[in-house]
């Protein structure tokens, strides 16, 4: 078996570890689940969004991730000082999510250079210590993008019913560019339709639980919608449509600290 001289193996980084929070493994995995999927993991044109922006401040731990066509933000109240923020490679956080268990007691924090810039993020448990260098650059300011506006179309739906309908149409939509499906939203019905190059057209309909605002028709990436729905807590979901070509918000009644945004497509529908 080939190996390396232990003396030649790089040592773990020497870190300043006095800026961290304590959080349960179940809670940290839940935060990862609600945001990391929205990052542009394989992106090359804008390297900073291959990571998730993680911040520890104002008594919260928060994550933001975007690929410029969708955005996810989630927060949790914790006992934390104003430790700042860092962009951590999303691919590494996805792998980390696999090894954290619900029973882990975790210390999660930042190690900073003398100038106050975060150099490493670390996660420490009794079983392992994880280090990650942070990505350099300024993360896009998404604060205004996650504010849900008033006076728009807002519906409440059974999450699983809507998800199953979208998944069925997705089997056709994935044959088309951008996994496009069209939603016709009215007080009495939400019609979900799509088409494939080889399989033709199909549609599914469900009845909204609650409805407010004008009727609307939008086109969107079905894969993005499904990813957001799967990350939501609870049995119901809220969809907020701000305009035919404006942001679609996907929310949960059970989690006011998480927001998912999907940008619609311009179509002839």
């Amino acid at each position: 078996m080939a190996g390396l001289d232990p003396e030649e193996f790089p040592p773990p980084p020497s870190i300043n570890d006095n800026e961290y929070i304590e959080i349960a493994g179940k809670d940290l995995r839940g935060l990862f689940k609600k945001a990391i999927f929205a990052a542009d993991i394989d992106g090359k044109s804008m390297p900073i969004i291959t990571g998730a922006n993680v911040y520890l401040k104002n008594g919260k731990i928060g994550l933001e991730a975007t690929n410029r066509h969708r955005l996810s933000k989630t927060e949790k109240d914790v006992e934390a000082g104003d430790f700042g923020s860092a962009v951590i490679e999303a691919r590494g956080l996805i792998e980390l999510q696999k090894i954290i268990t619900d029973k882990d007691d975790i210390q999660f924090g930042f190690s900073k250079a003398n100038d106050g810039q975060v150099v490493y993020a670390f996660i420490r448990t009794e079983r392992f210590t994880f280090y990650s260098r942070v990505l350099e650059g300024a993360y896009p300011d998404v604060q205004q993008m996650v504010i849900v506006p008033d006076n728009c179309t807002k519906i409440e739906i059974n999450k699983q019913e809507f998800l199953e309908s979208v998944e069925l149409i997705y089997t056709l939509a994935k044959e088309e560019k951008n996994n496009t499906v069209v939603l016709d939203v009215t007080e009495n019905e939400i019609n979900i339709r799509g088409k494939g190059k080889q399989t033709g057209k199909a549609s599914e309909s469900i009845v909204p639980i609650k409805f407010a605002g004008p009727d609307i028709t939008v086109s969107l990436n079905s894969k993005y919608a499904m990813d957001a729905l799967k990350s939501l807590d609870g049995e119901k979901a809220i969809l907020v449509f701000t305009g035919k070509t404006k942001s679609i918000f996907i929310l949960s009644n059970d989690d006011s600290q998480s927001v998912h945004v999907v940008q619609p497509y311009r179509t002839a529908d």
Side-chain angles (χ1 to χ4, degrees):
M1 181 180 294
L4 291 173
D5 187 328
E7 298 298 325
E8 296 180 6
F9 195 81
S14 176
I15 64 172
N16 174 3
D17 61 357
N18 61 349
E19 291 192 343
Y20 64 84
I21 63 167
E22 295 183 346
I23 186 170
K26 180 180 180 180
D27 293 335
L28 188 60
R29 291 179 71 236
L31 288 170
F32 287 173
K33 174 189 173 184
K34 293 175 183 178
I36 297 172
F37 66 86
D40 191 9
I41 296 175
D42 299 315
K44 297 180 180 179
S45 60
M46 194 175 179
I48 194 69
I49 61 174
T50 63
N53 186 44
V54 184
Y55 53 89
L56 304 172
K57 54 187 177 182
N58 302 324
K60 297 180 184 295
I61 175 174
L63 278 82
E64 301 167 338
T66 183
N67 68 355
R68 296 184 294 183
H69 303 290
R70 64 175 173 184
L71 163 67
S72 290
K73 177 181 178 179
T74 188
E75 292 182 336
K76 183 174 179 59
D77 296 328
V78 293
E79 293 185 8
D82 188 0
F83 300 151
S85 63
V87 183
I88 306 173
E89 187 181 28
R91 194 182 300 276
L93 294 180
I94 290 171
E95 295 303 315
L96 177 62
Q97 184 179 353
K98 297 176 183 178
I99 61 175
I100 295 174
T101 69
D102 288 352
K103 296 181 179 180
D104 281 328
D105 293 319
I106 292 173
Q107 294 177 343
F108 177 80
F110 301 142
S111 177
K112 298 180 178 178
N114 292 334
D115 62 0
Q117 294 295 312
V118 178
V119 180
Y120 288 99
F122 67 90
I123 289 179
R124 185 164 48 212
T125 74
E126 291 183 350
R127 299 185 298 116
F128 66 88
T129 301
F130 169 90
Y131 304 94
S132 175
R133 273 195 173 277
V134 301
L135 300 179
E136 296 182 358
Y139 199 79
D141 186 355
V142 302
Q143 295 305 309
Q144 295 300 315
M145 297 176 62
V146 296
I147 298 175
V148 183
D150 297 323
N151 302 320
C152 45
T153 301
K154 181 177 180 181
I155 61 173
E156 183 177 295
I157 54 174
N158 179 290
K159 183 182 72 174
Q160 191 60 35
E161 182 183 22
F162 184 74
L163 179 58
E164 290 175 356
S165 297
V166 175
E167 286 179 329
L168 180 60
I169 305 304
Y170 172 68
T171 61
L172 302 179
K174 66 183 179 182
E175 297 179 7
E176 294 286 325
K177 184 179 179 180
N178 299 326
N179 307 312
T180 302
V181 298
V182 179
L183 304 183
D184 296 308
V185 182
T186 68
E187 182 177 2
N188 299 317
E189 180 186 58
I190 304 167
N191 181 259
I192 307 147
R193 51 192 169 92
K195 62 181 180 179
K197 292 179 180 179
Q198 305 295 329
T199 50
K201 301 178 180 180
S203 67
E204 283 282 309
S205 293
I206 67 168
V207 177
I209 299 171
K210 294 180 181 179
F211 178 93
D215 297 350
I216 191 169
T217 296
V218 295
S219 301
L220 75 160
N221 187 311
S222 52
K223 178 66 164 58
Y224 291 172
M226 290 191 299
D227 287 344
L229 288 164
K230 290 175 182 177
S231 74
L232 295 181
D233 293 333
E235 297 180 354
K236 299 176 183 178
I238 297 171
L239 305 183
V240 180
F241 303 92
T242 60
K244 186 172 182 179
T245 59
K246 297 180 180 179
S247 298
I248 301 166
F249 294 84
I250 302 175
L251 313 168
S252 168
N253 274 333
D254 294 354
D255 180 10
S256 62
Q257 292 184 296
S258 296
V259 180
H260 306 283
V261 184
V262 176
Q263 297 302 321
Y265 295 130
R266 292 181 180 272
T267 68
D269 293 276

